Amino acid sequence: DTAVSQTPKYLVTQMGNDKSIKCEQNLGHDTMYWYKQDSKKFLKIMFSYNNKELIINETVPNRFSPKSPDKAHLNLHINSLELGDSAVYFCASSLGTGTAGANVLTFGAGSRLTVL
Amino acid sequence: KQEVTQIPAALSVPEGENLVLNCSFTDSAIYNLQWFRQDPGKGLTSLLLIQSSQREQTSGRLNASLDKSSGRSTLYIAASQPGDSATYLCAAWAGSYQLTFGKGTKLSVIP
């Protein structure tokens, strides 16, 4: 059983389109994240949700809108896609956001988005 | 704001050699530091987590150390194998509910 699963794994689309990436975790974790890995392989946090509530919203264009229907799901919707949005997007989850052990992250396999 | 730096960016060693990967962070007020492995086209696999109160953690041939006062962590890999070839990322957990990642060290172990 996959712990953190993302779909789709690959996404190729035209500039200006709207697309979504879905993420689900079956670990019973309370906290979920979206990270972006750019062409230089640098991983940077975008959003974090704890029990369906937004707790981190880094400097991300408002074309990116996360949605957490329940604590096992965190989806990422992107409007008006731009060339610079091309990257690998990783979903992750952790037991919580506290200190000891709770914040060991489990990552999904990534969704590679290519904007043409 | 926390910044994490990893040196070197790439490392190539012959099989069997012991090696050390370095990680430094600017804000010593961390809860923990984590080391991950990323294989090409794959997600991240957590290797070791060191709590801020700990000095080191060991798992098999891997040993990670943490020196908060100097803002440094090292990942020691003993008797390297070709299967160890991957990118190794360190990440520091500060107080703002997030991990800050370094850019990684790409390791190649030559048979």
Side-chain angles (χ1 to χ4, degrees), chain B residues 36-109:
Chain B
F36 293 86
R37 168 185 173 140
Q38 184 174 27
D39 292 282
K42 302 280 178 66
L44 280 71
T45 301
S46 180
L47 297 173
L48 289 164
L49 178 147
I50 313 176
Q51 299 292 351
S52 62
S53 58
Q54 296 173 324
R55 283 285 193 154
E56 63 180 309
Q57 280 287 326
T58 298
S59 175
R61 293 182 294 108
L62 305 179
N63 176 278
S65 69
L66 175 65
D67 184 344
K68 276 183 58 178
S69 60
S70 66
R72 293 183 182 181
S73 176
T74 61
L75 180 66
Y76 174 82
I77 302 178
S80 59
Q81 302 170 359
D84 295 331
S85 298
T87 296
Y88 291 81
L89 296 144
C90 76
W93 186 284
S96 56
Y97 305 107
Q98 62 173 287
L99 277 179
T100 301
F101 281 85
K103 294 187 178 182
T105 295
K106 185 174 181 180
L107 173 65
S108 300
V109 180

Side-chain angles (χ1 to χ4, degrees), chain A residues 48-59:
Chain A
S48 176
Y49 272 71
N50 182 253
N51 270 321
K52 303 191 297 175
E53 290 199 14
L54 181 67
I55 55 172
I56 295 175
N57 184 352
E58 286 294 295
T59 310

Side-chain angles (χ1 to χ4, degrees), chain A residues 51-93:
Chain A
N51 270 321
K52 303 191 297 175
E53 290 199 14
L54 181 67
I55 55 172
I56 295 175
N57 184 352
E58 286 294 295
T59 310
V60 175
N62 57 16
R63 298 181 295 103
F64 290 78
S65 53
K67 283 198 171 41
S68 182
D70 54 62
K71 72 175 192 177
H73 295 83
L74 180 61
N75 304 322
L76 184 65
H77 188 75
I78 315 170
N79 290 327
S80 304
L81 279 157
E82 300 178 357
L83 293 176
D85 297 334
S86 295
V88 181
Y89 292 85
F90 285 98
C91 178
S93 71

